[in-house]
Amino acid sequence: MSRLQVVSGKGGTGKTTVAAALALALATEGKRTLLVEVEGRQGIAQLFETEALPYEERKIAVAPGGGEVYALAIDAERALLDYLQMFYKLGAAGRALKKLGAIDFATTVAPGVRDVLLTGKACEAVRRKEKNGGFVYDHVVMDAPPTGRVTRFLNVNDEVAGLARMGPIHHQAQAVMRVLKSPETAVHLVTLLEEMPVQETADGIAELRAADLPVGNVIVNMVRPHVLDEDAVRAASGDHRAGIARALGTAGVSRPDELVGPLLDEAADHAQRVELEREQREVLAKLQVPSYELPFLGEGADLAGLYRLAKELRKLGVGA
């Protein structure tokens, strides 16, 4: 079982929601999970209906069975200060560099260094152990950048190759890559059953494979139930229009004849969506990656919805 679960996806697919639900699912039965945010959007805090996450690990939820979910919003500047203190014992000097703007320069002008720091913090949490030798966290879940940027973000070894061919930064990148390219890691991609997200998912999987990064699962989010197929719509719009009007009238609907047309239009739109989703499922099947579907939450992705999705993920075995 992979201990670092990276979740990415095209914007709008609900990757942060899926990452949060996955952290809850993995923390069941007394386990402890760390949910990591690296983009500074505070999306995790909003989902768990808590205050903005600081640069420290904070418990934000209790999972079924008594497990715990901790969360951390990684800040590149703070991570660099930690790094300087850890490797160079530059606590006060590091803070002085921050005042001079050197820290901001290092984390914005040298994006490779920034990615090493962000991924390095998550990998450190994966490797961290307690005094008794057990891991502090059973799993670490990272809410990663979108699919179009995730391979470059995770492939930090290549990112820093031109910046540091030796020394602490180089060794740090190597240590991070040993985790990211090992069976300890799985990169999951979240998509919708729509053409653009599915195509971006296919491209993302190809890029991850080319970089030798471990592809986990495809998680199809916000799947709506199927009510009618095209055959049912054709049947209803043919000889059964009058029967539909009578049924509506029997049910007490006023002016049923005027509603038959709009209802059939809605049904036709639904049938078209069903067919388009069928085509996208076929595309996903060709990727030869395990695919799982999560239901559309009509009430929205609130805290109750997260627990519902977590239950579904446990049932599906995602991340196990």
Side-chain angles (χ1 to χ4, degrees):
M1 180 185 295
S2 302
R3 296 189 58 251
L4 175 59
Q5 311 263 342
V6 180
V7 180
S8 181
K10 178 178 170 56
T13 59
K15 72 175 180 66
T16 299
T17 301
V18 171
L22 181 59
L24 274 172
L26 293 171
T28 56
E29 305 304 328
K31 294 183 180 179
R32 182 182 294 172
T33 300
L34 176 64
L35 179 57
V36 174
E37 182 178 88
V38 297
E39 294 186 282
R41 296 185 296 106
Q42 291 293 339
I44 292 171
Q46 294 174 31
L47 284 169
F48 284 94
E49 301 173 6
T50 186
E51 60 187 21
L53 296 174
Y55 182 69
E56 62 182 35
E57 293 157 25
R58 172 183 294 177
K59 186 167 76 173
I60 60 170
V62 176
E68 298 175 328
V69 176
Y70 286 73
L72 168 67
I74 303 179
D75 176 82
E77 289 190 11
R78 291 288 300 275
L80 181 52
L81 289 173
D82 281 355
Y83 176 85
L84 292 174
Q85 171 61 19
M86 185 181 301
F87 288 97
Y88 298 103
K89 308 301 180 185
L90 292 179
R95 290 189 291 274
L97 288 172
K98 177 176 174 61
K99 290 181 180 179
L100 293 172
I103 301 298
D104 181 64
F105 176 84
T107 56
T108 56
V109 178
V113 173
R114 179 181 181 277
D115 290 347
V116 169
L117 295 166
L118 294 174
T119 54
K121 187 68 176 177
C123 290
E124 181 276 327
V126 171
R127 297 189 299 257
R128 193 188 312 160
K129 292 187 176 183
E130 298 177 307
K131 291 181 179 179
N132 63 8
F135 288 109
V136 172
Y137 294 106
D138 296 287
H139 296 281
V140 176
V141 178
M142 180 193 293
D143 179 20
T147 315
R149 295 193 289 115
V150 70
T151 299
R152 183 175 180 181
F153 173 77
L154 294 175
N155 203 22
V156 294
N157 194 45
D158 288 346
E159 283 294 294
V160 302
L163 296 170
R165 299 184 182 278
M166 59 183 64
I169 287 286
H170 175 79
H171 294 312
Q172 172 77 350
Q174 294 279 18
V176 168
M177 293 312 301
R178 281 194 292 272
V179 174
L180 293 179
K181 291 193 175 184
S182 76
E184 283 189 287
T185 299
V187 184
H188 308 300
L189 299 182
V190 182
T191 187
L192 305 178
L193 286 175
E194 298 173 4
E195 185 175 358
M196 288 185 64
V198 167
Q199 183 58 55
E200 190 162 315
T201 298
D203 294 342
I205 289 172
E207 291 174 0
L208 289 166
R209 286 172 171 166
D212 293 323
L213 289 163
V215 178
N217 305 308
V218 171
I219 302 174
V220 183
N221 197 23
M222 295 187 260
V223 177
R224 297 173 182 267
H226 291 172
V227 180
L228 298 173
D229 57 19
E230 289 192 8
D231 290 338
V233 174
R234 282 194 292 269
S237 59
D239 298 333
H240 300 286
R241 297 177 67 93
I244 293 174
R246 286 194 300 272
L248 290 172
T250 302
V253 176
S254 60
R255 294 183 295 180
D257 292 330
E258 298 178 13
L259 288 177
V260 173
L263 283 175
L264 288 176
D265 289 341
E266 289 285 337
D269 289 342
H270 175 83
Q272 184 179 28
R273 177 172 65 81
V274 169
E275 176 60 20
L276 290 173
E277 290 179 352
R278 183 190 65 77
E279 293 173 358
Q280 296 312 310
R281 283 189 176 94
E282 291 179 356
V283 174
L284 291 174
K286 293 177 182 178
L287 300 177
Q288 297 183 329
V289 175
S291 179
Y292 302 92
E293 296 189 1
L294 292 176
F296 174 77
L297 299 178
E299 66 277 13
D302 56 7
L303 193 55
L306 280 184
Y307 277 89
R308 179 184 168 191
L309 290 179
K311 182 178 180 180
E312 189 69 23
L313 287 168
R314 290 198 305 275
K315 184 170 67 176
L316 294 170
V318 178

